[in-house]
């Protein structure tokens, strides 16, 4: 992998990740851009104790442009985009309309391929491995920023999810706090550790799932399963079998095997609802341990957390979506329309031949 860092016309950082070590990246951003101005701030909710990002400048962000005006495609001739070069393998750049910025963190865009009509599932294993290396590198770099406490790599796929740019891409949010979902996990880890005299909750969950009926696929170094209390109609959790706190902790064996396993999962998701159905909308979310101090979670260290990816769709059946209505949105109590065991069985049925 070759990494080349440059700057866009408005000062934002852009990084090329290339498969070939002899690739030269010297294209200059020729757009007449002024420096971006953001109004992002973090406000603490006194009743719930969580944090909300206020980012009113995002109202003017690019919204469903035609394919020939996609800002994530390479620049070509007089059509100038966010990527100055005429081609790329993987590109990461600072979001022009970030939810988090400055002392409030940082937001980046990850373009998986220059092919506008592709999806992550269409990547080769070599390309998918390069994306993994980009995620890992950005996790390392962002973790050293003084304003960053947790790094979240994720992909939103599909208009139903709220995606406004059709080009295959994901995002990285670097939060200045530990996110509420991670905090809940850490509290459960602390309780389990105390109750079992030092046992690890993630290890216990993985062991239990591998012995059960909700395993979707398993390889030497990775395991994917539908969790016992799945929140979403089709939801899969992907774990490395050797517990590590973040992407940096993965060894070479796990890194080498990841593309094959993950691409198979994504391709199964596209087959859940049968031939002729639109591409399955999904969210793919990497959960990593915070890089900040964990004093509030008594007896818990970063090494007690387990890196894992959660992949889920909001489509519950052909042509129907799972909406977060009264119980989910008002009380944070999910109601799942599909038994996790049935979801796991379906995801095994649609395995590649």
């Amino acid at each position: 992998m070759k990494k080349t860092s440059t700057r866009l016309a408005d000062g934002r950082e852009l990084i090329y990740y290339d498969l070939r070590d002899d690739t030269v990246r010297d294209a200059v951003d020729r757009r007449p851009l002024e420096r971006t101005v953001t109004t992002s701030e973090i406000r603490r909710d006194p009743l719930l104790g969580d944090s909300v990002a206020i980012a009113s400048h995002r109202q003017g962000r690019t919204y469903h442009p035609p394919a020939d005006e996609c800002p994530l495609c390479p620049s070509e001739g007089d059509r100038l985009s966010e990527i100055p070069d005429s081609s790329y393998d993987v590109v990461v750049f600072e979001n022009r309309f970030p939810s988090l910025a400055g002392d409030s963190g940082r937001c980046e865009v990850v373009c998986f391929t220059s092919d506008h009509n592709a999806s992550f599932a269409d990547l080769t294993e070599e390309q998918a491995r390069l994306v993994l290396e980009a995620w890992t590198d950005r996790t390392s770099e962002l973790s050293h920023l003084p304003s960053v406490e947790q790094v979240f790599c994720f992909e939103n796929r599909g208009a139903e999810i709220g995606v406004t740019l059709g080009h295959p891409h994901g995002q990285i949010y670097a939060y200045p706090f530990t996110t509420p979902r991670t905090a809940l996990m850490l509290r459960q880890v602390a309780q389990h550790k105390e109750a079992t005299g030092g046992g690890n909750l993630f290890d216990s969950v993985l062991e239990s799932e591998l012995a059960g009926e909700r395993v979707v696929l398993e390889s030497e170094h990775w395991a994917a399963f539908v969790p016992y209390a799945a929140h979403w109609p089709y939801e899969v959790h992907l774990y490395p079998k050797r517990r590590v706190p973040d992407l940096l902790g993965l060894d070479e064996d796990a890194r080498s095997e990841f593309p094959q396993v993950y691409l198979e999962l994504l391709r199964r998701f596209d087959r859940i609802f049968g031939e002729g159905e639109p591409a399955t909308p999904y969210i793919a979310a990497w959960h990593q341990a915070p890089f900040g101090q964990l004093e509030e979670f008594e007896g818990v260290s970063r090494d007690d957390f387990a890196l894992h990816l959660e992949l889920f769709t909001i489509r519950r059946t052909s042509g129907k979506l799972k909406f977060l209505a009264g119980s989910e949105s008002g009380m944070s109590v999910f109601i799942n329309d599909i038994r996790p065991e049935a979801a796991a069985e379906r995801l095994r049925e649609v395995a590649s031949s």
Side-chain angles (χ1 to χ4, degrees):
M1 179 191 79
K2 182 180 180 181
K3 175 183 175 182
T4 306
S5 181
T6 185
R7 292 282 172 180
L8 296 174
D10 56 6
R12 288 175 293 130
E13 184 178 20
L14 180 143
I15 306 162
Y16 295 97
Y17 293 90
D18 287 295
L19 293 168
R20 293 174 55 96
D21 290 337
D22 59 353
T23 304
V24 177
R25 299 294 184 187
D26 55 8
V28 176
D29 185 4
R30 294 180 284 127
R31 298 172 297 171
L33 296 180
E34 296 181 356
R35 292 251 172 193
T36 55
V37 177
T38 63
T39 57
S40 179
E41 63 173 306
I42 302 298
R43 297 188 180 183
R44 185 82 168 171
D45 186 322
L47 294 181
L48 298 179
D50 59 7
S51 298
V52 177
I54 308 297
S56 57
H57 62 277
R58 284 174 51 80
Q59 285 283 38
R61 65 188 183 274
T62 308
Y63 187 80
H64 292 299
D68 61 356
E69 296 179 15
C70 175
L72 306 184
C73 288
S75 292
E76 184 176 353
D78 293 331
R79 192 184 68 78
L80 306 178
S81 72
E82 289 280 65
I83 296 90
D85 216 323
S86 59
S87 67
Y88 63 84
D89 291 335
V90 174
V91 166
V92 178
F93 60 89
E94 289 184 75
N95 198 322
R96 191 178 179 188
F97 303 97
S99 301
L100 308 166
D103 293 339
S104 298
R106 176 159 157 150
C107 292
E108 299 182 339
V109 177
V110 184
C111 298
F112 304 138
T113 172
S114 60
D115 184 353
H116 180 85
N117 297 313
S119 68
F120 201 117
D122 296 322
L123 300 183
T124 65
E125 291 185 15
E126 185 181 35
Q127 289 173 310
R129 170 65 185 263
L130 184 61
V131 176
L132 175 63
E133 296 306 321
W135 283 331
T136 305
D137 181 70
R138 296 314 301 153
T139 295
S140 176
E141 292 291 327
L142 293 170
S143 71
H144 290 97
L145 296 180
S147 63
V148 172
E149 188 166 311
Q150 185 172 0
V151 179
F152 176 46
C153 306
F154 65 100
E155 179 191 2
N156 297 328
R157 205 276 287 268
E160 300 94 329
I161 298 294
V163 175
T164 57
L165 297 176
H167 196 102
H169 72 288
Q171 299 181 67
I172 302 175
Y173 276 22
Y175 298 100
F177 51 80
T178 296
T179 61
R181 187 171 176 84
T182 302
L184 285 174
M185 293 183 193
L186 290 170
R187 291 188 188 101
Q188 291 298 108
V189 168
Q191 291 178 15
H192 181 87
K193 192 171 187 178
E194 181 179 6
T196 59
N200 184 271
L201 177 59
F202 288 106
D203 291 350
S204 177
V205 167
L206 182 57
E207 180 182 3
S208 175
E209 292 290 1
L210 286 176
E213 58 181 313
R214 290 179 298 277
V215 175
V216 173
L217 64 85
E218 182 180 359
S219 64
E220 183 178 357
H221 301 286
W222 293 87
F225 56 88
V226 177
Y228 169 74
H231 289 56
W232 300 94
Y234 290 92
E235 175 181 343
V236 175
H237 292 189
L238 175 63
Y239 278 68
K241 288 186 174 178
R242 183 179 69 87
R243 173 165 45 90
V244 295
D246 51 43
L247 289 165
L248 302 172
L250 291 175
D251 59 25
E252 179 56 31
D253 289 336
R255 291 181 183 281
S256 296
E257 198 178 69
F258 170 77
Q260 178 184 359
V261 173
Y262 187 49
L263 290 172
E264 171 63 17
L265 273 181
L266 293 180
R267 290 162 186 167
R268 290 191 193 191
F269 257 60
D270 274 342
R271 294 193 290 268
I272 291 173
F273 303 104
E275 296 293 331
E277 286 291 320
T280 302
Y282 65 73
I283 293 174
W286 280 109
H287 291 261
Q288 306 191 79
F291 288 94
Q293 299 299 315
L294 303 179
E295 288 94 345
E296 63 179 293
F297 311 104
E298 188 173 352
V300 174
S301 70
R302 292 191 77 251
D303 290 336
D304 291 316
F305 195 87
L307 167 76
H308 64 283
L309 182 139
E310 297 185 7
L311 173 67
F312 59 91
T313 180
I314 62 172
R315 186 179 293 165
R316 56 187 176 86
T317 189
S318 179
K320 297 179 181 178
L321 302 180
K322 165 65 178 176
F323 292 103
L324 300 190
S327 186
E328 292 88 354
S329 296
M331 283 292 151
S332 295
V333 178
F334 274 68
I335 301 170
N336 194 345
D337 301 297
I338 298 177
R339 293 186 73 247
E341 292 75 19
E345 182 178 5
R346 177 57 181 162
L347 285 163
R348 290 193 295 267
E349 289 175 350
V350 295
S352 297
S353 58

